[in-house]
Amino acid sequence: MSRDAYFFYKVEDLVSYLEAKLTNPTPLKIQKSLYFLWAFYAATYGSIDYSNENSEFSETIKYPKRLFKANFEAWQYGPVLNKVYGEDKNNSITPSLEKKRYSNSMEKDVWSFIDDMIAQIDPINDFGLVARSHQDSAWKKAYKAGQSHCPMNEEEIIEDYKEYAATTNA
């Protein structure tokens, strides 16, 4: 897997980081944190148009398109990564947290983004995060009552969050 495509080669590395950083890392909070981190990252850093001459971003240091490889599913309590859910349920996520080492400014920016998002997510209780995720049109379109493995469309998630990022930065 190329660093051009994903910042984390294994989502479990981010899960391990979340478990260490969140005050109360419940399975729900981990799942919603992964979702919000992925969505906001993909809509911002992952959507930079490097071919735009007027862009402040250069071709020399490109941000990966996605934070990690994701296949979100719409479940009753919001978006879920089934693979992480299964590993977490079976306690098979191996902590791999290392001290962050930045090899360039791009890595420093991404880690700063992650820490800033965690600081915003952490004080919100589990069901506040669930309620927030239920506002997303990508979840609403995918969710089928009584079913738990309804695939969500990545591009629809990104479009939702491009709108959120635009209104936040306005």
Side-chain angles (χ1 to χ4, degrees), residues 106-151:
M106 179 275 294
E107 287 185 6
K108 184 177 181 183
D109 290 347
V110 174
W111 279 110
S112 179
F113 165 83
I114 291 167
D115 287 339
D116 288 348
M117 286 292 299
I118 291 171
Q120 293 176 53
I121 292 167
D122 197 31
I124 303 170
N125 70 35
D126 289 359
F127 289 99
L129 295 171
V130 168
R132 172 56 197 82
S133 71
H134 282 190
Q135 295 173 16
D136 294 353
S137 64
W139 178 84
K140 289 177 188 177
K141 286 180 185 177
Y143 181 66
K144 309 281 185 277
Q147 296 181 19
S148 58
H149 296 281
C150 306

Side-chain angles (χ1 to χ4, degrees), residues 150-166:
C150 306
M152 292 178 68
N153 181 300
E154 280 190 9
E155 292 307 315
E156 289 177 1
I157 296 169
I158 293 168
E159 288 308 310
D160 277 348
Y161 282 79
K162 280 183 180 179
E163 287 182 34
Y164 297 139

Side-chain angles (χ1 to χ4, degrees), residues 58-122:
S58 75
E59 289 269 348
T60 54
I61 298 181
K62 280 189 172 182
Y63 294 90
K65 293 297 283 177
R66 303 289 179 262
L67 204 50
F68 52 86
K69 184 175 174 54
N71 295 307
F72 286 102
E73 297 175 355
W75 288 21
Q76 178 180 2
Y77 295 113
V80 170
L81 288 175
N82 190 43
K83 175 183 182 242
V84 172
Y85 175 81
E87 290 174 355
D88 193 35
K89 189 175 180 179
N90 296 323
N91 294 318
S92 60
I93 293 178
T94 309
S96 59
L97 181 66
E98 290 183 21
K99 185 177 181 198
K100 296 181 288 192
R101 294 185 196 110
Y102 312 123
S103 62
N104 58 45
S105 63
M106 179 275 294
E107 287 185 6
K108 184 177 181 183
D109 290 347
V110 174
W111 279 110
S112 179
F113 165 83
I114 291 167
D115 287 339
D116 288 348
M117 286 292 299
I118 291 171
Q120 293 176 53
I121 292 167
D122 197 31

Side-chain angles (χ1 to χ4, degrees), residues 11-31:
V11 70
E12 293 83 1
D13 292 339
L14 180 54
V15 171
S16 177
Y17 189 71
L18 288 168
E19 287 175 345
K21 296 293 280 185
L22 291 168
T23 305
N24 183 21
T26 65
L28 259 174
K29 188 164 266 194
I30 295 287
Q31 288 288 339

